[in-house]
Amino acid sequence: MVGIALLAVLAGILAFLLLRETPTSAPKPPLNLRTMAMTFWLDPRKHPAFGWAWLVRLLIGCSYASVAFSAFYLMERFDISKEDLTGVTLRLVVLSIACVIVSTVVAGYVSDLVRRQKPFVVFAGVTAAVSLAMMAWTSDLSVVYVAVAGMGISTGTFLSVDFALSVRVLPNKDDAAKDLAIFNVAGKLPESLVPFMGPALLALGGYTALFLFLGAAGLLGALACFRLPEVGREHETSRWSAPITRS
């Protein structure tokens, strides 16, 4: 872990030293609260494809945020002691990482090969929902391993395609960094929302209610993806496809 951290720091330093940006001559808006607030806002009515892509990332991200409750789930559902929890968690983490790595490479390659993105996002959302449903109802630890593998495959598939999809619907190349930051809000917001909502869902119906709710979010994210235009069909209009608008 220390080696990985040092490598990340070294890569960041090299990028800072080697990359050069072209200075902009565009006038800068005044720095005040209104300007800062508007930085994190992009009207989905004017840019519907961007809005739907943002919603897809938020909803499917809620499914992945279920990992925040993993340790408590294992201890309470399966009576795993604190002494044994570390070993079980380590095996699940290694399994998840392996599935993420493999699925990221495979899904990214296949997506470029067939020039399709939406089926992979839909697959990720549905797979996350199925995996969480398995965790919601099972009392068999071996099923949890299968579900965690499914979540890893879902996560890798989603990560390999979602960023490319997000870049494709950006409304203005001159504001790409700012708009990608707004997308990142959708990716990070579930990490705060899910732990905040979790206690209420647990009180309502335990881990069954929690995981089924988060699985439903993944399904809704998969459904929302159908509103996005596919690669190469950005200029086609239909009642189901939200247009990509440019500023």
Side-chain angles (χ1 to χ4, degrees):
M1 295 297 292
V2 175
I4 295 176
L6 291 175
L7 183 62
V9 171
L10 179 61
I13 294 174
L14 288 175
F16 175 78
L17 294 175
L18 297 178
L19 294 179
R20 293 290 182 268
E21 293 184 285
T22 303
T24 178
S25 58
K28 296 181 180 180
L31 183 60
N32 51 44
L33 290 177
R34 183 178 183 279
T35 303
M36 293 177 64
M38 293 304 296
T39 298
F40 295 96
W41 170 252
L42 202 153
D43 194 342
R45 294 170 299 179
K46 295 181 180 179
H47 307 288
F50 182 96
W52 282 105
W54 193 93
L55 184 62
V56 168
R57 180 176 287 194
L58 175 71
L59 290 172
I60 296 182
C62 285
S63 295
Y64 300 147
S66 60
V67 71
F69 296 89
S70 296
F72 303 104
Y73 168 71
L74 291 171
M75 288 190 293
E76 296 179 21
R77 177 68 66 88
F78 301 98
D79 294 324
I80 296 176
S81 65
K82 293 181 180 179
E83 293 74 20
D84 297 332
L85 181 63
T86 301
V88 175
T89 302
L90 178 61
R91 289 191 290 272
L92 290 173
V93 168
V94 171
L95 173 63
S96 177
I97 292 175
C99 291
V100 168
I101 293 173
V102 173
S103 59
T104 298
V105 175
V106 173
Y109 175 79
V110 176
S111 175
D112 289 341
L113 185 66
V114 302
R115 292 190 58 77
R116 293 290 184 271
Q117 294 173 344
K118 289 169 58 176
F120 296 89
V121 176
V122 172
F123 170 81
V126 172
T127 302
V130 171
S131 299
L132 286 170
M134 293 170 63
M135 294 178 67
W137 282 311
T138 189
S139 57
D140 185 349
L141 188 58
S142 62
V143 176
V144 176
Y145 280 88
V146 176
V148 168
M151 288 294 287
I153 293 171
S154 169
T155 303
T157 302
F158 184 75
L159 292 177
S160 69
V161 177
D162 176 67
F163 185 77
L165 187 151
S166 301
V167 169
R168 193 162 52 83
V169 301
L170 292 179
N172 189 344
K173 65 179 182 179
D174 294 330
D175 291 329
K178 184 260 295 183
D179 295 340
L180 285 174
I182 296 176
F183 269 123
N184 285 336
V185 171
K188 295 299 181 181
L189 198 56
E191 297 177 6
S192 300
L193 286 178
V194 171
F196 178 77
M197 298 184 301
L201 292 167
L202 289 172
L204 182 65
Y207 288 100
T208 300
L210 174 65
F211 289 147
L212 288 180
F213 178 84
L214 298 179
L219 282 179
L220 289 174
L223 289 174
C225 185
F226 284 102
R227 295 302 310 274
L228 297 173
E230 187 55 273
V231 176
R233 301 177 184 176
E234 289 83 359
H235 302 293
E236 296 181 8
T237 57
S238 71
R239 59 180 297 186
W240 296 108
S241 181
I244 298 176
T245 55
R246 308 294 186 190
S247 299

